[in-house]
Amino acid sequence: MTKNRIFLSPPHMSGKEKEYIDEAFRSNWVAPLGPNVDAFEREISEYVGASDAVAVSSGTAAIHLALSLLEIGPGDKVFCSSLTFIASANPILYLGAEPIFIDSEPETWNMSPIALENALLERAINDDLPKAVIVVNLYGQSAKMNEILSICNRFDVPIIEDAAESLGSLYKGKCSGTFGKFGIFSFNGNKIITTSGGGMLVSDDTEALKKARFLATQARDPALHYQHSTIGFNYRMSNILAGIGRAQLEVLDNRVDRRREIYLRYFEELASIPGINFMPEMEGTISNRWLTALTIDKNEAGISSLDVITALAEENIEARPVWKPLHLQPVFNGYMFYSHKKEESIAEQIYNSGICLPSGSSMTESDIMRVVNRVKGVANVTV
Ligand SMILES: *Cc1c(COP(=O)(O)O)cnc(C)c1O
């Protein structure tokens, strides 16, 4: 008998989504605008404490818009965390600009302020500063925002905070996604809450977000005859999907609590295995623990992260390596990378030993124990 598949992070509906969808159908707001879109934007901006928000078709679209608002184009440089999903950096290439990748540091796994400062100092000497820095909050953990903000402010470079994975997380009491000039969230099917696909751009610059709405609806000039003076996009969120998002946002805090509980269960069961180290949660931050991530030191544990992933796959359980750093991706071959320490990349070390365990908020205790027991089994720990 094959056991039910345990996915890494499947969608988790609350049950109320259908009411919002039905209302959209009843009122015939079946379009990329409507009352759910307006309300979802207001509710997200209120939740995170930003002045305004623009609902779009994906997190990637939100990054593309943020870069466009900063007028990034061919020849411009943009810094980006290396240890992240490719969507963080792809929009840099959409605009013909050049990505430069920044290493992680061990405390948050996110952008190293040391590597960032070195990179900015070097570019400043060459009079070739980046026009933006994309800072990612990996697996829900905030980057060292105070340090990163103060360095970027010194060089007058704006930050785009890629909070696709960190909705509901806090950094020193303030919501993740609200630290940069722009913040972005994703509601892809695997994220902590979902609209099936979607994203949000947030900012305190309401004028910029007005322009984002304009750009996201094909940059239509105010004329009856469809006139266009700039190139826009078709990036707005559907009113039906925004309805799903509204119902999901109502349970976001529960989802965060549950993901943190799941992390804690894994920690209780597995942290004592030699060589296993869980992704830290930096003091002063609360991570939504979107995915429980850990590293396995093969010398100490006697097994590698890949051994564990393979063993879990045999049990119909989906686990994944940590994101492959972007500076190692074939598609970004030839772009620069600044490391945290000389000749030593923290992002590569984390990638080589890292694993993400199933972390969906709908997991049951018995699902968790299925994962735990299999990991203990390969690690030769008596259950
Ligand atoms: C998911 C994700 C994105 C992209 O979001 P989409 O909505 O899938 O386009 C961007 N950055 C990070 C770090 C992500 O995890």
Side-chain angles (χ1 to χ4, degrees):
M1 187 190 74
T2 52
K3 290 183 185 151
N4 289 341
R5 183 152 177 80
I6 301 179
F7 290 99
L8 192 68
S9 180
H12 184 187
M13 294 297 106
S14 73
K16 247 188 105 175
E17 292 82 5
K18 281 275 295 211
E19 291 174 29
Y20 285 99
I21 295 171
D22 288 346
E23 177 52 31
F25 273 83
R26 247 194 316 273
S27 55
N28 204 33
W29 279 107
V30 185
L33 80 168
N36 280 334
V37 174
D38 297 343
F40 190 37
E41 290 179 342
R42 197 172 56 242
E43 287 156 5
I44 284 280
S45 60
E46 276 166 12
Y47 182 93
V48 300
S51 298
D52 199 4
V54 178
V56 290
S57 52
S58 70
T60 312
I63 298 171
H64 194 186
L65 282 169
L67 291 167
S68 303
L69 292 166
L70 295 170
E71 299 184 341
I72 282 150
D76 291 332
K77 313 277 193 298
V78 177
F79 285 8
C80 183
S81 305
S82 183
L83 190 61
T84 182
F85 181 48
I86 193 145
S88 302
N90 272 342
I92 303 169
L93 294 191
Y94 299 167
L95 291 162
E98 184 184 318
I100 292 176
F101 297 109
I102 309 294
D103 201 5
S104 299
E105 48 77 22
E107 267 186 292
T108 65
W109 294 15
N110 289 308
M111 186 177 280
S112 155
I114 294 170
L116 172 66
E117 186 173 33
N118 286 341
L120 285 169
L121 284 167
E122 194 177 302
R123 314 281 352 158
I125 291 168
N126 297 315
D127 199 18
D128 193 19
L129 282 170
K131 279 184 89 173
V133 176
I134 300 172
V135 181
V136 179
N137 302 312
L138 208 63
Y139 304 132
Q141 170 61 53
S142 292
K144 293 186 170 177
M145 290 315 298
N146 278 357
E147 289 87 340
I148 290 170
L149 273 165
S150 94
I151 294 165
C152 286
N153 287 342
R154 227 166 74 215
F155 291 89
D156 205 19
V157 181
I159 291 173
I160 297 168
E161 197 185 354
D162 179 347
E165 301 175 3
S166 63
L167 179 61
S169 300
L170 297 174
Y171 177 91
K172 298 186 197 288
K174 193 170 174 253
C175 278
S176 189
T178 59
F179 289 86
K181 165 87 181 158
F182 297 106
I184 76 97
F185 299 108
S186 166
F187 309 113
N188 193 29
N190 61 345
K191 297 303 199 289
I192 192 153
I193 60 169
T194 183
T195 59
S196 74
M200 194 73 79
L201 177 65
V202 300
S203 180
D204 283 335
D205 185 341
T206 50
E207 281 307 305
L209 290 193
K210 250 200 225 160
K211 189 165 177 206
R213 283 195 186 88
F214 165 77
L215 289 174
T217 44
Q218 309 282 23
R220 264 188 261 165
D221 291 340
L224 207 53
H225 51 267
Y226 294 100
Q227 175 162 299
H228 307 269
S229 328
T230 38
I231 302 289
F233 314 102
N234 183 6
Y235 274 171
R236 288 294 263 159
M237 181 184 277
S238 142
N239 188 61
I240 294 170
L241 302 191
I244 301 176
R246 293 183 70 191
Q248 287 271 288
L249 185 58
E250 288 173 13
V251 293
L252 173 59
D253 290 342
N254 299 332
R255 299 299 186 249
V256 173
D257 290 348
R258 182 62 188 145
R259 296 230 183 205
R260 288 179 61 81
E261 252 169 40
I262 291 165
Y263 155 78
L264 199 63
R265 288 293 297 121
Y266 283 134
F267 186 88
E268 287 164 354
E269 295 287 344
L270 302 173
S272 62
I273 298 175
I276 285 193
N277 285 294
F278 281 78
M279 181 181 190
E281 184 175 52
M282 195 178 59
E283 214 189 300
T285 67
I286 295 175
S287 168
N288 67 16
R289 294 283 183 188
W290 172 55
L291 295 183
T292 291
L294 51 90
T295 56
I296 303 176
D297 180 333
K298 194 174 176 181
N299 295 327
E300 259 189 86
I303 47 161
S304 68
S305 51
L306 203 59
D307 294 333
V308 174
I309 292 169
T310 310
L312 289 171
E314 286 163 8
E315 291 278 311
N316 208 12
I317 297 167
E318 185 188 18
R320 292 284 182 127
V322 165
W323 301 124
K324 178 172 180 168
L326 298 185
H327 72 279
L328 301 177
Q329 294 286 359
V331 75
F332 291 125
N333 194 9
Y335 292 111
M336 284 191 74
F337 170 67
Y338 287 88
S339 61
H340 178 67
K341 286 186 188 167
K342 251 195 161 61
E343 318 284 326
E344 199 183 324
S345 158
I346 303 294
E348 282 182 51
Q349 286 172 13
I350 294 171
Y351 167 64
N352 286 330
S353 58
I355 168 174
C356 298
L357 295 178
S359 306
S361 45
S362 53
M363 279 181 91
T364 62
E365 172 64 18
S366 87
D367 291 336
I368 296 169
M369 287 313 293
R370 243 177 84 194
V371 179
V372 162
N373 289 332
R374 192 70 191 111
V375 175
K376 285 181 175 174
V378 255
N380 257 319
V381 175
T382 37
V383 178

